Amino acid sequence: MANDEVILLDFWPSMFGMRLRIALAEKEIKYEYKDEDLRNKSPLLLQMNPIHKKIPVLIHNGKPICESIIGVEYIEEVWKDKAPLLPSDPYERAQARFWADYIDKKFYDSARKIWATKGEEQEAGKKDFIDVLKVLEGALGDKPFFGGDNFGYVDVALIGFYSWFHAYETYGNFSTEAECPKFVAWAKRCMQRDSVAKTLPDQHKVLEFVKILREKYGLE
Amino acid sequence: MAENDLKLLGAWPSPYVMRPRIALNIKSVGYDFLEEQFGTKSDLLLKSNPIYKKIPVLIHDGKPICESLIIVEYIDENWNSGPSILPSDPYDRAIARFWATYIDDKWFPALRGIAAAQGEDAKKAATESVIEGLVLLEDAFKNCSKGEKFFGRDKIGYLDIALGCFLGWTRVTEKLNNLKLLDESKTPGLYKWAEDFCADSAVKDVMPETDKLAVAAKWFPLRRVLAVAQGDDAIKAAPEPVVEDLVLLEDAFKNCSKAKKFFGGDKIGYVDIALGCFLGWMRVTGKMHNVKLLDEAKIPSLYKWAEDFCADSAVKDVMPETDKLAQAAKILLPKIRADASS
């Protein structure tokens, strides 16, 4: 669509922002990327997401869409002729939404405990995290991607977290390859796509970022 | 019998279960409603929703769909010849989904926070956050309805369902805490919308009566309070909330029974069963704590109801004798206490 103005308010390490970056790339949509300083949020961000004041925010022709999964659905519906991310069958769509919602409910909190806490809380987080990975491996099964043969909605919802895995493994002291080899194989398969490879930040850069956060929390 | 092979696992007090029921009503689709018993999870539920083990679950041709709003979207997409539930414009859809997420993640937990608040200050703070949320939702209502009756404009849609399902619990919270949450002066749009929503043909039959919900709200969590109280002070204090709530239930009973014998009217109904099954334990607990829970002076209607309930032919043979229960209690209570503290 010509004359579309698309702006993305984001923060480079955000796995939620990455969802939108990947979806936009898959659909080959041109957009302006604005990196926010979360300690000093821009007037635009506060105006576009007054309720939550959070990134990512997708702004299409001046109208904001907040919440990353809602943004992915929006992109899917507006630019529906290119690279569909959701299947057409209603049951398959319900399954895709279920897993994206599961990732939102379970993945972030357990992963966060691995790098942001210590002692018992960290151990509990690590255990939950590996359980979550195993559940997701079960959902993936023998398929190349969560939706089947094609890269899609659930893959988009999940793959951004992979850029944080070096940090999780370092601070959690475990190897994802050892615990969940299928998961790692899936992640590497996704990384072969341009949209993913060009979006995900370098894992070492993320590790450095997490180190700074840990210093702030008094964990280093 | 449903034409499709369509089953909904649920429970009548659950607002989340109401969502797919309204959606199926909008589409005029028949289904088997399989009621889960409070306190237990059926094998079918555990098999169909192994991840969360929660209701609602829609099972269509043997295939389960979980999470209430995901089920509503499924219903909308699968029966796409009926009236549409989500708006057609992608931006309007994004806005509807945004507010539904806000309601589930922020607003309803705030509403539940009122009941959980300890002390006047906490209750006041919790109430304010709910009302602030309603003011935001009033604004959303104005923008979405564009002057018409519903968020979905001329007919009930996704966001009406997402918020409307909580009206029963909103009213119960108002009643049990002596509060006004939906205030005609503060949120006039939502106030009117609530009336229109509850009167809608797709909603009327699945919205539980406020008094019945009040019984569910108060009694169901309390059943463990008596069993798990430890220490002299706790044991002395434990019956107090029960006695207070029985007084509230007396009122609910009068409203539900409408001068007949049971909550269900002339015959025993769901609420009678839900409450009546605890009569044995109430007698045992009364004995153990040396307190009269079913006090004829304080709650005469419930006292009479308890007698009628236990005498009913459907109940007589299954109600255990108080002495036998007392013996069982001696064995079971230490175990219940151990479970509660782990």
Side-chain angles (χ1 to χ4, degrees):
Chain A
M1 289 186 188
N3 305 322
D4 263 328
E5 188 199 47
V6 181
I7 299 171
L8 179 65
L9 305 182
D10 200 348
F11 179 47
W12 68 267
S14 165
M15 47 297 247
F16 302 104
M18 286 176 217
R19 292 167 169 178
L20 295 176
R21 285 178 249 163
I22 293 169
L24 290 163
E26 285 285 318
K27 307 262 184 187
E28 293 178 357
I29 299 160
K30 287 192 165 52
Y31 67 98
E32 186 188 346
Y33 177 88
K34 286 190 199 246
D35 208 68
E36 287 281 330
D37 175 359
L38 296 181
R39 293 157 304 176
N40 187 20
K41 294 176 180 177
S42 73
L44 182 62
L45 173 57
L46 299 175
Q47 186 202 356
M48 292 284 126
N49 192 357
I51 312 270
H52 304 300
K53 306 175 174 57
K54 284 182 169 182
I55 54 95
V57 180
L58 182 72
I59 311 173
H60 185 205
N61 295 330
K63 297 196 291 190
I65 299 100
C66 307
E67 301 295 312
S68 59
I69 280 295
I70 295 176
V72 172
E73 288 242 28
Y74 178 81
I75 289 166
E76 172 72 357
E77 288 168 9
V78 172
W79 290 277
K80 56 184 183 290
D81 298 324
K82 182 92 214 245
L85 296 170
L86 276 168
S88 50
D89 174 68
Y91 183 74
E92 298 302 322
R93 290 163 77 89
Q95 293 311 295
R97 288 176 177 136
F98 175 86
W99 288 112
D101 179 68
Y102 175 83
I103 291 159
D104 273 354
K105 281 180 161 75
K106 300 279 190 185
F107 206 100
Y108 182 77
D109 286 339
S110 61
R112 195 179 178 281
K113 287 206 176 114
I114 296 176
W115 62 263
T117 69
K118 53 185 167 66
E120 270 180 39
E121 206 183 344
Q122 188 194 38
E123 278 308 302
K126 191 168 127 185
K127 186 185 171 301
D128 285 343
F129 181 73
I130 290 172
D131 285 345
V132 167
L133 284 184
K134 293 211 159 107
V135 168
L136 289 168
E137 277 190 326
L140 179 65
D142 292 321
K143 311 189 294 296
F145 299 105
F146 280 89
D149 289 329
N150 298 313
F151 181 79
Y153 189 79
V154 181
D155 310 289
V156 171
L158 187 54
I159 191 59
F161 287 92
Y162 190 61
S163 63
W164 283 64
F165 268 61
H166 185 42
Y168 299 152
E169 289 176 339
T170 302
Y171 295 115
N173 192 29
F174 68 94
S175 153
T176 320
E177 179 83 58
E179 303 273 356
C180 304
K182 263 189 174 171
F183 182 88
V184 175
W186 162 83
K188 289 187 171 156
R189 199 173 298 129
C190 291
M191 292 295 287
Q192 286 171 0
R193 295 185 78 78
D194 256 1
S195 64
V196 176
K198 290 191 172 146
T199 291
L200 263 58
D202 179 79
Q203 295 210 19
H204 291 94
K205 207 172 163 211
V206 174
L207 179 68
E208 272 168 38
F209 170 71
V210 175
K211 186 160 188 281
I212 295 170
L213 284 180
R214 283 171 57 89
E215 276 163 14
K216 266 206 222 142
Y217 296 167
L219 290 163
E220 288 283 313
Chain B
M1 197 61 217
E3 320 142 345
N4 310 273
D5 177 12
L6 200 56
K7 298 178 173 50
L8 181 68
L9 306 184
W12 67 266
S14 164
Y16 301 104
V17 170
M18 215 190 304
R19 290 168 167 178
R21 297 186 82 183
I22 297 171
L24 288 165
N25 283 349
I26 288 171
K27 301 283 186 177
S28 302
V29 172
Y31 59 99
D32 284 330
F33 185 56
L34 301 178
E35 187 97 40
E36 288 285 314
Q37 296 309 308
F38 186 81
T40 64
K41 291 179 200 268
S42 69
D43 285 340
L44 183 58
L45 174 59
L46 296 175
K47 194 181 78 155
S48 312
N49 191 356
I51 304 274
Y52 302 117
K53 307 176 176 52
K54 281 182 171 178
I55 46 158
V57 181
L58 185 71
I59 309 177
H60 190 195
D61 291 333
K63 297 190 291 190
I65 301 110
C66 308
E67 295 300 296
S68 62
L69 292 175
I70 293 177
I71 299 172
V72 170
E73 289 220 37
Y74 173 78
I75 291 167
D76 198 30
E77 290 176 353
N78 197 57
W79 286 276
N80 55 8
S81 54
S84 59
I85 295 173
L86 267 103
S88 48
D89 174 72
Y91 191 73
D92 293 338
R93 292 158 76 91
I95 293 294
R97 287 173 177 142
F98 173 85
W99 286 111
T101 303
Y102 169 81
I103 289 160
D104 276 359
D105 289 353
K106 302 265 188 259
W107 188 78
F108 186 58
L111 182 69
R112 286 207 315 264
I114 295 178
Q118 309 270 25
E120 277 309 306
D121 286 339
K123 218 162 210 125
K124 201 156 174 268
T127 305
E128 268 168 34
S129 82
V130 171
I131 293 175
E132 274 166 27
L134 285 172
V135 170
L136 284 175
L137 288 164
E138 172 83 2
D139 204 48
F141 177 71
K142 281 201 195 93
N143 292 331
C144 294
S145 65
K146 303 196 190 357
E148 296 188 75
K149 270 177 32 171
F150 300 112
F151 286 91
R153 303 189 62 180
D154 61 332
K155 55 178 173 49
I156 279 182
Y158 182 82
L159 192 45
D160 299 279
I161 296 172
L163 183 58
C165 68
F166 293 119
L167 284 170
W169 285 104
T170 305
R171 291 190 176 127
V172 168
T173 308
E174 287 178 329
K175 197 178 171 136
L176 294 177
N177 296 280
N178 204 21
L179 289 171
K180 210 173 200 183
L181 295 171
L182 261 177
D183 192 329
E184 196 170 7
S185 56
K186 287 204 180 111
T187 54
L190 284 182
Y191 190 85
K192 176 90 182 43
W193 163 82
E195 283 177 0
D196 289 332
F197 180 83
C198 293
D200 189 273
S201 57
V203 175
K204 254 182 357 216
D205 298 333
V206 297
M207 177 71 78
E209 290 169 35
T210 307
D211 288 316
K212 289 207 169 122
L213 262 187
V215 173
K218 270 300 177 179
W219 184 253
F220 294 163
L222 269 180
R223 71 202 207 286
R224 290 181 73 88
V225 169
L226 298 171
V228 304
Q230 296 198 59
D232 284 332
D233 285 339
I235 289 178
K236 257 201 206 133
E240 266 176 45
V242 180
V243 172
E244 276 168 27
D245 292 313
L246 284 172
V247 171
L248 277 168
L249 286 174
E250 170 87 356
D251 203 47
F253 174 71
K254 284 198 197 107
N255 291 332
C256 292
S257 64
K258 304 195 209 309
K260 302 217 176 138
K261 273 191 345 184
F262 300 113
F263 283 89
D266 285 320
K267 315 192 263 78
I268 281 179
Y270 186 89
V271 180
D272 299 280
I273 297 172
L275 186 57
C277 63
F278 296 117
L279 283 171
W281 282 105
M282 280 165 71
R283 292 195 174 114
V284 168
T285 311
K287 249 179 141 167
M288 290 174 68
H289 292 266
N290 203 23
V291 66
K292 224 178 195 180
L293 290 174
L294 278 168
D295 189 334
E296 193 174 6
K298 287 204 179 114
I299 45 173
S301 303
L302 276 184
Y303 187 85
K304 175 95 182 39
W305 163 82
E307 281 182 355
D308 288 333
F309 181 83
C310 293
D312 189 274
S313 56
V315 174
K316 252 183 0 214
D317 298 333
V318 299
M319 179 67 79
E321 291 167 33
T322 308
D323 287 329
K324 283 209 173 116
L325 260 186
Q327 283 182 30
K330 280 209 182 99
I331 301 167
L332 278 174
L333 277 177
K335 190 174 178 301
I336 296 176
R337 288 193 180 129
D339 285 344
S341 58
S342 66

